[in-house]
Amino acid sequence: MKIVEQIKQPVAFEMELFEQKFQLSMSSKVALLNRITHYIVNRKGKQMRPMFVFLVAKMVANGEISERTYRGASVIELIHTATLVHDDVVDDSNRRRGFFSINALWKNKIAVLVGDYLLSKGLLLSIDNNDFDLLKIISIAVREMSEGELLQIEKARKLDITEEVYYEIIRQKTATLIAACCSLGAASVKPDSQDIEKMRCFGELIGMAFQIKDDLFDYGEEKIGKPTGIDIKEQKMTLPLIYVLNNVPKKDKSWLINSIKNHNKDKKRVKEVIAFVKQNNGLEYAINKMKAFQAEALNILKTYPESTYRSSLELMVNYVIERKK
């Protein structure tokens, strides 16, 4: 059995029911909108976000969930899908998970409007059901994701990112959404409990580990759908690179910065940068940091009684750092 199927097993029934509810939550009286949302639903990925919501809810409430849990999972998917549709417009990207993006098929204007529509559907789903606590969790996540993106753009221009700033960027850009899924799962079944903050921390730690793993792919030999060195070509500051930049002599640092700023399209130079980062323990350092986040996340899970839901979340934490793509 594939690892993702194994993780999903304890909540397989809920996930199926969720898909039906999610499709209903997107429906509109406008035929064009329904055609586009149908296209989105049929091209979904592994659905890790709703999986986190259901697994966490069931773990903290001894297997019980409520309608609020389904609404929470739907809201996070609606709002997250809205941000992805907008991201593809911002990045001028024609593909999403191997399929054409909305802006590639229906142009930017429609894509932006569809994103707005999904966002408002998410907000209304919470407001109509008085799920203001869930809405707050998601709204904070969206604010942080936007701030993280802008912070990265601001810092990338100067290439002067410290490790602290890097962690702040990935916390906001990547970890905050997983943290929202986990705290939302807890809040849906145990409002006002300590589990909400505990699960937020858990999700944040997984998100940090997930992003560092993504950074490492840039230096890998494996074929993962994105070519090696793409982050360097795009002048993205990743942890292996930041560590090396801050720990080599001035002369080497100047060469590295010059390579990234002025020679990032030169394949030979990019290969030299990758080799240099490897030689100076950049990968080793990033792997150790990733494993530290993983260990912290697993320690939080150990404070809950053993259950199939806890086991699935443990599998998920390990999958995040052992995945091949």
Side-chain angles (χ1 to χ4, degrees):
M1 191 188 295
K2 277 189 171 167
I3 185 97
V4 178
E5 289 306 311
Q6 218 175 322
I7 293 166
K8 194 174 173 177
Q9 217 173 5
V11 290
F13 170 76
E14 286 79 7
M15 290 292 289
E16 270 188 44
L17 193 52
F18 159 73
E19 280 190 34
Q20 295 162 24
K21 289 175 186 283
F22 181 55
Q23 284 188 13
L24 282 174
S25 70
M26 274 190 175
S27 66
S28 151
K29 292 189 179 76
V30 179
L32 173 64
L33 250 174
N34 285 334
R35 206 156 66 237
I36 295 171
T37 54
H38 181 74
Y39 179 82
I40 292 169
V41 168
N42 286 336
R43 279 151 194 79
K44 59 188 179 311
K46 295 189 190 79
Q47 287 198 297
M48 289 300 194
R49 286 166 302 278
M51 237 185 279
F52 271 122
V53 175
F54 291 117
L55 285 168
V56 166
K58 289 198 133 196
M59 180 183 74
V60 303
N62 303 319
E64 297 297 316
I65 60 163
S66 65
E67 270 305 311
R68 255 166 68 86
T69 314
Y70 286 103
R71 288 199 298 270
S74 292
V75 169
I76 210 139
E77 275 297 87
L78 282 165
I79 291 180
H80 178 62
T81 307
T83 61
L84 292 182
V85 172
H86 283 165
D87 277 354
D88 287 339
V89 175
V90 171
D91 298 338
D92 206 9
S93 171
N94 290 326
R95 304 292 251 187
R96 164 78 53 190
R97 295 197 194 101
F99 296 100
F100 283 115
S101 58
I102 304 301
N103 48 305
L105 292 171
W106 284 281
K107 302 289 174 272
N108 282 351
K109 186 175 180 178
I110 288 177
V112 171
L113 293 169
V114 167
D116 292 346
Y117 171 77
L118 295 172
L119 192 63
S120 66
K121 281 294 245 189
L123 299 176
L124 286 167
L125 183 60
S126 292
I127 292 164
D128 290 346
N129 292 284
N130 292 331
D131 296 330
F132 297 110
D133 55 337
L134 305 185
L135 185 55
K136 186 175 181 181
I137 290 170
I138 293 157
S139 302
I140 290 170
V142 174
R143 181 196 70 199
E144 295 224 308
M145 284 156 69
S146 315
E147 284 179 353
E149 285 285 354
L150 289 163
L151 179 61
Q152 186 175 39
I153 290 166
E154 180 192 349
K155 292 292 177 186
R157 288 177 180 158
K158 294 192 186 128
L159 299 186
D160 64 345
I161 296 187
T162 61
E163 208 171 309
E164 284 66 39
V165 170
Y166 165 82
Y167 289 135
E168 188 51 22
I169 289 171
I170 69 166
R171 187 190 69 72
Q172 291 185 315
K173 267 189 67 182
T174 305
T176 196
L177 187 68
I178 300 174
C181 294
C182 295
S183 57
L184 198 128
S188 74
V189 285
K190 290 176 95 175
D192 304 318
S193 67
Q194 289 178 327
D195 296 298
I196 300 170
E197 176 55 20
K198 208 163 150 185
M199 286 293 102
R200 190 198 66 74
C201 292
F202 165 74
E204 193 173 277
L205 290 162
I206 295 184
M208 302 293 275
F210 182 92
Q211 187 55 55
I212 296 172
K213 177 70 175 179
D214 254 18
D215 289 358
L216 289 163
F217 282 140
D218 207 43
Y219 296 88
E221 317 296 314
E222 290 150 13
K223 295 275 173 282
I224 54 138
K226 80 167 191 178
T228 307
I230 198 93
D231 288 341
I232 295 165
K233 290 184 185 107
E234 291 176 0
Q235 299 190 19
K236 272 189 196 149
M237 298 299 281
T238 58
L239 188 56
L241 189 58
I242 291 164
Y243 171 77
V244 171
L245 271 173
N246 294 328
N247 288 281
V248 293
K250 223 172 177 177
K251 176 169 73 52
D252 291 331
K253 187 174 178 172
S254 301
W255 174 80
L256 263 179
I257 288 177
N258 180 32
S259 303
I260 295 157
K261 272 195 165 167
N262 306 313
H263 303 281
N264 56 23
K265 301 286 185 280
D266 176 346
K267 278 185 184 168
K268 183 168 169 283
R269 190 71 166 258
V270 169
K271 271 188 178 162
E272 284 168 11
V273 169
I274 290 172
F276 187 79
V277 170
K278 284 179 177 173
Q279 278 156 17
N280 287 277
N281 305 323
L283 299 199
E284 215 173 301
Y285 181 79
I287 288 167
N288 289 336
K289 283 287 178 190
M290 175 178 75
K291 287 186 172 167
F293 285 123
Q294 175 201 26
E296 259 188 275
L298 290 171
N299 282 339
I300 292 176
L301 287 181
K302 286 194 178 82
T303 63
Y304 288 91
E306 275 190 35
S307 66
T308 53
Y309 316 114
R310 193 186 97 174
S311 302
S312 268
L313 286 166
E314 286 167 350
L315 258 181
M316 183 92 96
V317 176
N318 295 326
Y319 166 71
V320 156
I321 76 160
E322 285 158 15
R323 66 201 163 96
K324 298 281 183 277
K325 60 180 180 176

